[in-house]
Amino acid sequence: MLSHPSLQDPNFYKSIVFLSNHSEEEGTLGVILNRPLGKKLYQLDEQFNHFSLGQAEVYKGGPVETEKLIIAAWDWKDSADSFRLYFGIDITKAESLREENKNIHIACFLGHSGWSPGQLENELKGESWLVSSLNLDLFQQMNSKSECWKSAVSGVSDEMHLLANAPENPWNN
């Protein structure tokens, strides 16, 4: 899910949110993919020095429960839009996955993004978000912050391409 270029909420400005769970009864849960904190897991807590995953990148997952760490792992399959996801796993499971498959990608998120039942649907109707499928390119560009978002939004339509590439403040143009 991509934030619409007009969305000014600082929590989601120019963000790409991976939705990991959605139900009408419980709401929606996801993490922001393009908010790297510029830190490795071991820099958050020295206890992670003892794990090979201490070098995993840490991202700001969203404005909810920002002290909670979520570990995710994914492995791309034969095509650029097919992958296996492990979300909300513990460090032991992540270590095990890495031992089994050296190509698996692991990232850690501080906090998450969440919507109560019906809230996201209302935001979609209000055009705060653009629905987009995930692909390998998005995951490979996670560290590029707004460039990743700009590329993804530009691919939605010609109109979105113009809006995504507009200057921050057109009056300064």
Coordinates of all heavy atoms in Angstrom, one line a residue, residues 68-137:
K68 N 8.3 -2.0 20.5 CA 8.2 -3.4 20.2 C 9.0 -3.7 18.9 O 8.8 -3.0 17.9 CB 6.7 -3.8 20.0 CG 6.5 -5.2 19.8 CD 5.0 -5.5 19.7 CE 4.8 -7.0 19.4 NZ 3.4 -7.3 19.3
L69 N 9.8 -4.8 18.9 CA 10.5 -5.2 17.8 C 9.8 -6.3 17.0 O 9.4 -7.3 17.7 CB 11.9 -5.7 18.2 CG 12.8 -6.2 17.1 CD1 13.3 -5.0 16.3 CD2 14.0 -6.9 17.7
I70 N 9.6 -6.1 15.7 CA 9.0 -7.2 14.9 C 10.1 -7.6 13.9 O 10.7 -6.8 13.2 CB 7.8 -6.6 14.1 CG1 6.7 -6.2 15.1 CG2 7.3 -7.7 13.1 CD1 5.5 -5.5 14.5
I71 N 10.3 -8.9 13.9 CA 11.3 -9.5 12.9 C 10.5 -10.2 11.8 O 9.6 -10.9 12.0 CB 12.2 -10.5 13.6 CG1 13.0 -9.9 14.8 CG2 13.2 -11.1 12.6 CD1 13.8 -10.8 15.6
A72 N 10.9 -9.9 10.6 CA 10.3 -10.5 9.4 C 11.4 -11.0 8.5 O 12.5 -10.5 8.5 CB 9.5 -9.4 8.6
A73 N 11.1 -12.1 7.8 CA 12.0 -12.7 6.9 C 11.2 -13.1 5.6 O 10.0 -13.4 5.7 CB 12.6 -14.0 7.5
W74 N 11.8 -13.0 4.5 CA 11.2 -13.4 3.3 C 12.2 -13.9 2.3 O 13.4 -13.6 2.3 CB 10.4 -12.2 2.6 CG 11.2 -11.0 2.4 CD1 11.9 -10.6 1.3 CD2 11.4 -9.9 3.3 NE1 12.5 -9.4 1.5 CE2 12.2 -8.9 2.7 CE3 10.9 -9.6 4.6 CZ2 12.6 -7.7 3.3 CZ3 11.3 -8.4 5.2 CH2 12.1 -7.5 4.6
D75 N 11.7 -14.8 1.4 CA 12.5 -15.5 0.4 C 11.7 -15.4 -0.9 O 10.6 -15.9 -1.0 CB 12.7 -16.9 0.9 CG 13.5 -17.7 -0.1 OD1 14.3 -17.1 -0.9 OD2 13.3 -19.0 -0.2
W76 N 12.3 -14.7 -1.9 CA 11.7 -14.6 -3.2 C 11.8 -15.9 -3.9 O 12.8 -16.6 -3.9 CB 12.3 -13.5 -4.0 CG 11.9 -12.2 -3.4 CD1 12.6 -11.5 -2.5 CD2 10.7 -11.5 -3.6 NE1 11.9 -10.4 -2.1 CE2 10.7 -10.3 -2.8 CE3 9.6 -11.7 -4.4 CZ2 9.7 -9.4 -2.8 CZ3 8.6 -10.8 -4.4 CH2 8.6 -9.7 -3.6
K77 N 10.7 -16.3 -4.5 CA 10.6 -17.6 -5.3 C 11.0 -17.4 -6.7 O 11.8 -16.5 -7.0 CB 9.2 -18.1 -5.2 CG 8.8 -18.5 -3.7 CD 9.8 -19.5 -3.1 CE 9.5 -19.8 -1.7 NZ 10.6 -20.5 -1.1
D78 N 10.5 -18.1 -7.6 CA 10.9 -18.1 -9.0 C 10.6 -16.9 -9.8 O 11.2 -16.6 -10.8 CB 10.4 -19.3 -9.7 CG 10.9 -20.6 -9.2 OD1 12.0 -20.6 -8.6 OD2 10.2 -21.6 -9.2
S79 N 9.7 -16.1 -9.3 CA 9.3 -14.8 -10.0 C 9.4 -13.6 -9.1 O 9.6 -13.8 -7.9 CB 7.9 -14.9 -10.6 OG 7.0 -14.9 -9.5
A80 N 9.4 -12.4 -9.7 CA 9.6 -11.2 -9.0 C 8.4 -10.8 -8.2 O 8.4 -9.8 -7.5 CB 10.0 -10.1 -9.9
D81 N 7.3 -11.5 -8.2 CA 6.2 -11.2 -7.4 C 5.6 -12.4 -6.6 O 4.5 -12.4 -6.2 CB 5.0 -10.6 -8.3 CG 4.6 -11.6 -9.4 OD1 5.2 -12.7 -9.5 OD2 3.7 -11.2 -10.2
S82 N 6.5 -13.3 -6.3 CA 6.2 -14.5 -5.5 C 7.2 -14.7 -4.4 O 8.4 -14.8 -4.7 CB 6.1 -15.7 -6.4 OG 5.8 -16.8 -5.6
F83 N 6.8 -14.7 -3.1 CA 7.7 -14.8 -2.0 C 7.0 -15.6 -0.9 O 5.8 -15.6 -0.8 CB 8.3 -13.5 -1.6 CG 7.3 -12.6 -1.0 CD1 7.2 -12.4 0.4 CD2 6.5 -11.8 -1.7 CE1 6.4 -11.6 1.0 CE2 5.6 -10.9 -1.2 CZ 5.5 -10.8 0.2
R84 N 7.9 -16.1 0.0 CA 7.4 -16.7 1.2 C 7.7 -15.7 2.3 O 8.9 -15.3 2.4 CB 8.1 -18.1 1.4 CG 7.7 -18.6 2.8 CD 8.4 -20.0 3.0 NE 7.2 -20.9 3.1 CZ 7.2 -22.1 2.9 NH1 8.3 -22.7 2.6 NH2 6.2 -22.9 3.1
L85 N 6.8 -15.4 3.2 CA 6.9 -14.5 4.3 C 6.9 -15.1 5.6 O 6.0 -16.0 5.9 CB 5.8 -13.4 4.2 CG 5.8 -12.4 5.3 CD1 7.0 -11.5 5.3 CD2 4.5 -11.6 5.2
Y86 N 7.7 -14.7 6.5 CA 7.7 -15.1 7.9 C 7.6 -13.8 8.7 O 8.6 -13.0 8.7 CB 9.0 -15.9 8.3 CG 9.2 -17.1 7.5 CD1 10.0 -17.0 6.3 CD2 8.8 -18.3 7.8 CE1 10.2 -18.1 5.5 CE2 9.0 -19.5 7.0 CZ 9.8 -19.3 5.9 OH 10.0 -20.4 5.1
F87 N 6.5 -13.5 9.3 CA 6.3 -12.2 9.9 C 6.1 -12.4 11.4 O 5.3 -13.2 11.9 CB 5.1 -11.5 9.3 CG 4.9 -10.1 9.7 CD1 5.6 -9.1 9.1 CD2 4.0 -9.8 10.7 CE1 5.5 -7.8 9.5 CE2 3.9 -8.4 11.1 CZ 4.6 -7.4 10.5
G88 N 6.7 -11.6 12.2 CA 6.5 -11.6 13.7 C 7.2 -12.8 14.3 O 6.7 -13.4 15.3
I89 N 8.3 -13.2 13.7 CA 9.1 -14.4 14.2 C 10.0 -14.0 15.3 O 10.4 -12.8 15.4 CB 9.8 -15.1 13.1 CG1 10.8 -14.2 12.4 CG2 8.8 -15.7 12.1 CD1 11.6 -14.9 11.3
D90 N 10.5 -14.9 16.1 CA 11.5 -14.6 17.1 C 12.9 -14.8 16.6 O 13.1 -15.3 15.5 CB 11.3 -15.4 18.4 CG 11.4 -16.9 18.2 OD1 12.2 -17.3 17.3 OD2 10.8 -17.7 19.0
I91 N 13.9 -14.3 17.3 CA 15.2 -14.3 16.9 C 15.8 -15.7 16.6 O 16.5 -16.0 15.6 CB 16.2 -13.6 17.8 CG1 17.6 -13.3 17.2 CG2 16.3 -14.3 19.1 CD1 17.6 -12.1 16.4
T92 N 15.3 -16.7 17.4 CA 15.7 -18.1 17.2 C 15.2 -18.6 15.8 O 15.9 -19.3 15.1 CB 15.2 -19.0 18.3 OG1 15.6 -18.4 19.6 CG2 15.7 -20.4 18.2
K93 N 13.9 -18.3 15.5 CA 13.4 -18.8 14.2 C 14.1 -18.1 13.1 O 14.4 -18.7 12.0 CB 11.9 -18.5 14.2 CG 11.2 -18.8 12.8 CD 11.2 -20.2 12.5 CE 10.4 -20.5 11.3 NZ 10.4 -21.9 10.9
A94 N 14.4 -16.8 13.2 CA 15.1 -16.1 12.2 C 16.5 -16.7 12.0 O 17.0 -16.8 10.8 CB 15.2 -14.6 12.5
E95 N 17.2 -17.0 13.0 CA 18.5 -17.6 12.9 C 18.4 -19.0 12.2 O 19.3 -19.3 11.4 CB 19.1 -17.9 14.3 CG 19.6 -16.6 15.0 CD 20.9 -16.1 14.6 OE1 21.8 -17.0 14.4 OE2 21.1 -14.9 14.4
S96 N 17.4 -19.7 12.5 CA 17.2 -21.0 11.9 C 16.9 -20.9 10.4 O 17.5 -21.6 9.6 CB 16.0 -21.7 12.6 OG 15.6 -22.9 11.9
L97 N 16.1 -19.9 10.0 CA 15.8 -19.7 8.6 C 17.1 -19.3 7.9 O 17.3 -19.7 6.8 CB 14.8 -18.6 8.5 CG 13.4 -18.9 8.9 CD1 12.5 -17.7 9.0 CD2 12.8 -20.0 8.0
R98 N 17.9 -18.4 8.5 CA 19.2 -18.0 7.9 C 20.1 -19.2 7.7 O 20.8 -19.3 6.7 CB 19.8 -16.9 8.7 CG 21.2 -16.4 8.3 CD 21.2 -15.8 6.9 NE 20.4 -14.7 6.6 CZ 20.6 -13.4 6.9 NH1 21.7 -13.0 7.5 NH2 19.7 -12.5 6.6
E99 N 20.2 -20.1 8.7 CA 21.0 -21.3 8.5 C 20.6 -22.2 7.4 O 21.4 -22.7 6.7 CB 21.0 -22.1 9.8 CG 21.8 -21.4 10.9 CD 21.7 -22.1 12.3 OE1 21.3 -23.3 12.3 OE2 22.1 -21.5 13.3
E100 N 19.2 -22.3 7.2 CA 18.7 -23.1 6.1 C 18.8 -22.5 4.8 O 19.0 -23.2 3.8 CB 17.2 -23.3 6.4 CG 16.9 -24.2 7.6 CD 15.4 -24.2 7.9 OE1 14.6 -23.8 7.1 OE2 15.0 -24.5 9.1
N101 N 18.8 -21.2 4.7 CA 18.8 -20.5 3.4 C 19.6 -19.1 3.6 O 19.1 -18.2 4.1 CB 17.4 -20.2 3.0 CG 17.3 -19.5 1.7 OD1 18.2 -19.1 1.1 ND2 16.0 -19.3 1.2
K102 N 20.8 -19.1 3.0 CA 21.6 -17.9 3.1 C 21.1 -16.7 2.4 O 21.5 -15.6 2.6 CB 23.0 -18.2 2.7 CG 23.7 -19.3 3.5 CD 24.0 -18.8 4.9 CE 24.8 -19.9 5.7 NZ 24.7 -19.8 7.1
N103 N 20.1 -17.0 1.4 CA 19.6 -15.9 0.6 C 18.4 -15.3 1.2 O 17.8 -14.3 0.6 CB 19.2 -16.5 -0.8 CG 20.5 -16.9 -1.6 OD1 21.5 -16.2 -1.5 ND2 20.3 -18.0 -2.3
I104 N 17.9 -15.8 2.3 CA 16.7 -15.2 2.9 C 17.0 -13.8 3.4 O 18.1 -13.5 3.9 CB 16.1 -16.1 4.0 CG1 14.7 -15.8 4.3 CG2 17.0 -16.0 5.3 CD1 13.9 -16.9 5.0
H105 N 16.1 -12.9 3.2 CA 16.3 -11.5 3.7 C 15.6 -11.3 5.0 O 14.4 -11.7 5.2 CB 15.7 -10.5 2.7 CG 16.0 -9.1 3.0 ND1 17.2 -8.5 2.8 CD2 15.3 -8.2 3.7 CE1 17.2 -7.3 3.2 NE2 16.0 -7.0 3.8
I106 N 16.2 -10.7 5.9 CA 15.7 -10.5 7.3 C 15.7 -9.0 7.6 O 16.8 -8.3 7.4 CB 16.4 -11.3 8.3 CG1 16.2 -12.8 8.0 CG2 15.9 -11.0 9.7 CD1 16.9 -13.8 8.9
A107 N 14.6 -8.4 8.1 CA 14.6 -7.1 8.5 C 13.9 -7.0 9.9 O 13.0 -7.8 10.2 CB 13.9 -6.2 7.5
C108 N 14.2 -6.0 10.6 CA 13.6 -5.7 11.9 C 12.9 -4.4 11.9 O 13.4 -3.4 11.3 CB 14.7 -5.8 13.0 SG 15.6 -7.3 13.0
F109 N 11.7 -4.4 12.5 CA 10.9 -3.2 12.5 C 10.6 -2.8 14.0 O 10.2 -3.6 14.8 CB 9.6 -3.4 11.8 CG 9.8 -3.8 10.3 CD1 9.9 -5.1 10.0 CD2 9.9 -2.8 9.4 CE1 10.1 -5.5 8.6 CE2 10.1 -3.2 8.0 CZ 10.2 -4.5 7.7
L110 N 10.8 -1.5 14.3 CA 10.4 -1.0 15.6 C 9.0 -0.4 15.4 O 8.8 0.6 14.6 CB 11.4 0.1 16.1 CG 12.6 -0.4 16.7 CD1 13.5 0.8 17.1 CD2 12.3 -1.3 17.9
G111 N 8.1 -0.9 16.1 CA 6.7 -0.5 15.9 C 6.0 -1.1 14.7 O 6.6 -1.8 13.9
H112 N 4.8 -0.8 14.6 CA 4.0 -1.2 13.4 C 2.9 -0.2 13.1 O 2.7 0.8 13.8 CB 3.4 -2.6 13.7 CG 2.3 -2.6 14.7 ND1 2.6 -2.7 16.1 CD2 1.0 -2.5 14.6 CE1 1.5 -2.7 16.8 NE2 0.5 -2.5 15.9
S113 N 2.3 -0.4 12.0 CA 1.2 0.5 11.6 C -0.1 -0.3 11.8 O -0.2 -1.5 11.5 CB 1.3 0.8 10.1 OG 2.6 1.5 9.9
G114 N -1.1 0.3 12.3 CA -2.4 -0.4 12.6 C -3.6 0.4 12.3 O -3.6 1.7 12.5
W115 N -4.7 -0.2 11.9 CA -5.9 0.4 11.7 C -7.0 -0.4 12.3 O -7.0 -1.6 12.2 CB -6.2 0.5 10.2 CG -5.3 1.4 9.4 CD1 -5.6 2.7 9.1 CD2 -4.0 1.2 8.9 NE1 -4.5 3.3 8.4 CE2 -3.5 2.3 8.3 CE3 -3.2 0.0 8.9 CZ2 -2.3 2.4 7.7 CZ3 -1.9 0.1 8.3 CH2 -1.5 1.3 7.7
S116 N -8.0 0.2 13.0 CA -9.1 -0.5 13.6 C -10.0 -1.0 12.5 O -9.9 -0.5 11.3 CB -9.8 0.5 14.6 OG -10.3 1.6 13.9
P117 N -11.0 -1.9 12.8 CA -11.9 -2.4 11.8 C -12.6 -1.2 11.1 O -13.1 -0.3 11.7 CB -12.8 -3.2 12.6 CG -12.1 -3.7 13.8 CD -11.2 -2.5 14.1
G118 N -12.5 -1.3 9.7 CA -13.2 -0.3 8.9 C -12.4 1.0 8.7 O -12.7 1.7 7.7
Q119 N -11.4 1.3 9.5 CA -10.6 2.5 9.4 C -9.9 2.6 8.0 O -9.9 3.6 7.4 CB -9.7 2.7 10.5 CG -8.9 4.0 10.5 CD -7.9 4.1 11.7 OE1 -7.7 3.2 12.5 NE2 -7.2 5.2 11.7
L120 N -9.2 1.5 7.7 CA -8.4 1.6 6.5 C -9.3 1.7 5.2 O -9.0 2.4 4.3 CB -7.5 0.4 6.3 CG -6.6 0.3 5.1 CD1 -5.7 1.6 5.0 CD2 -5.7 -0.9 5.1
E121 N -10.4 1.0 5.3 CA -11.4 1.0 4.2 C -11.9 2.5 3.9 O -12.0 3.0 2.8 CB -12.6 0.1 4.4 CG -12.3 -1.4 4.3 CD -11.6 -1.9 5.6 OE1 -11.4 -1.2 6.5 OE2 -11.4 -3.2 5.5
N122 N -12.1 3.2 5.0 CA -12.5 4.6 4.9 C -11.4 5.5 4.4 O -11.6 6.4 3.6 CB -13.0 5.1 6.3 CG -14.3 4.6 6.7 OD1 -15.1 4.2 5.9 ND2 -14.5 4.5 8.0
E123 N -10.2 5.2 4.8 CA -9.0 6.0 4.2 C -8.8 5.7 2.8 O -8.4 6.5 2.0 CB -7.8 5.7 5.1 CG -7.8 6.2 6.5 CD -6.6 6.0 7.3 OE1 -5.5 5.7 6.7 OE2 -6.7 6.1 8.5
L124 N -9.1 4.4 2.4 CA -9.0 4.1 0.9 C -10.0 4.8 0.1 O -9.8 5.3 -1.0 CB -9.1 2.6 0.7 CG -7.9 1.8 1.1 CD1 -8.2 0.3 1.2 CD2 -6.7 2.0 0.1
K125 N -11.3 4.9 0.7 CA -12.3 5.6 0.0 C -12.0 7.1 -0.1 O -12.3 7.8 -1.1 CB -13.7 5.5 0.7 CG -14.3 4.1 0.6 CD -15.5 4.0 1.4 CE -16.0 2.6 1.4 NZ -17.1 2.3 2.4
G126 N -11.3 7.6 0.9 CA -10.9 9.0 0.9 C -9.6 9.3 0.1 O -9.1 10.4 0.1
E127 N -9.1 8.2 -0.6 CA -8.0 8.3 -1.5 C -6.7 8.8 -0.7 O -5.9 9.5 -1.3 CB -8.2 9.2 -2.7 CG -9.4 8.6 -3.6 CD -9.6 9.4 -4.8 OE1 -9.0 10.5 -5.0 OE2 -10.4 9.0 -5.6
S128 N -6.5 8.3 0.5 CA -5.3 8.6 1.2 C -4.2 7.6 0.8 O -3.0 7.8 1.0 CB -5.5 8.5 2.7 OG -6.4 9.5 3.2
W129 N -4.7 6.4 0.3 CA -3.7 5.4 -0.1 C -4.0 4.9 -1.5 O -5.1 4.9 -2.0 CB -4.0 4.2 0.9 CG -3.7 4.5 2.3 CD1 -4.6 4.9 3.3 CD2 -2.4 4.6 2.9 NE1 -3.9 5.2 4.5 CE2 -2.6 5.0 4.3 CE3 -1.1 4.4 2.5 CZ2 -1.5 5.2 5.2 CZ3 0.0 4.5 3.4 CH2 -0.2 4.9 4.7
L130 N -2.9 4.3 -2.0 CA -3.0 3.6 -3.3 C -2.7 2.2 -3.1 O -1.7 1.8 -2.4 CB -1.9 4.2 -4.3 CG -2.0 5.7 -4.5 CD1 -0.7 6.2 -5.3 CD2 -3.2 6.1 -5.3
V131 N -3.5 1.3 -3.6 CA -3.3 -0.1 -3.5 C -2.3 -0.6 -4.6 O -2.4 -0.2 -5.7 CB -4.6 -0.9 -3.6 CG1 -4.3 -2.4 -3.5 CG2 -5.5 -0.5 -2.5
S132 N -1.3 -1.3 -4.2 CA -0.2 -1.7 -5.1 C 0.2 -3.1 -4.7 O 0.3 -3.4 -3.5 CB 0.9 -0.8 -5.0 OG 2.0 -1.3 -5.8
S133 N 0.5 -3.9 -5.7 CA 1.1 -5.2 -5.3 C 2.6 -5.1 -5.0 O 3.2 -4.1 -5.5 CB 0.9 -6.2 -6.5 OG 1.6 -5.7 -7.6
L134 N 3.1 -5.9 -4.2 CA 4.5 -5.9 -3.8 C 5.3 -6.7 -4.9 O 4.8 -7.6 -5.4 CB 4.7 -6.5 -2.4 CG 4.1 -5.7 -1.3 CD1 4.4 -6.4 0.0 CD2 4.8 -4.3 -1.2
N135 N 6.5 -6.2 -5.1 CA 7.3 -7.0 -6.0 C 8.8 -6.9 -5.5 O 9.1 -6.1 -4.6 CB 7.2 -6.5 -7.4 CG 7.6 -5.0 -7.5 OD1 8.6 -4.5 -7.0 ND2 6.7 -4.2 -8.2
L136 N 9.6 -7.6 -6.1 CA 11.0 -7.7 -5.7 C 11.7 -6.3 -5.7 O 12.5 -6.0 -4.8 CB 11.8 -8.7 -6.6 CG 13.2 -8.9 -6.3 CD1 13.5 -9.4 -4.9 CD2 13.8 -9.9 -7.3
D137 N 11.4 -5.5 -6.7 CA 12.0 -4.2 -6.8 C 11.8 -3.4 -5.5 O 12.7 -2.7 -5.0 CB 11.5 -3.4 -8.0 CG 12.0 -4.0 -9.3 OD1 13.0 -4.8 -9.2 OD2 11.4 -3.8 -10.3

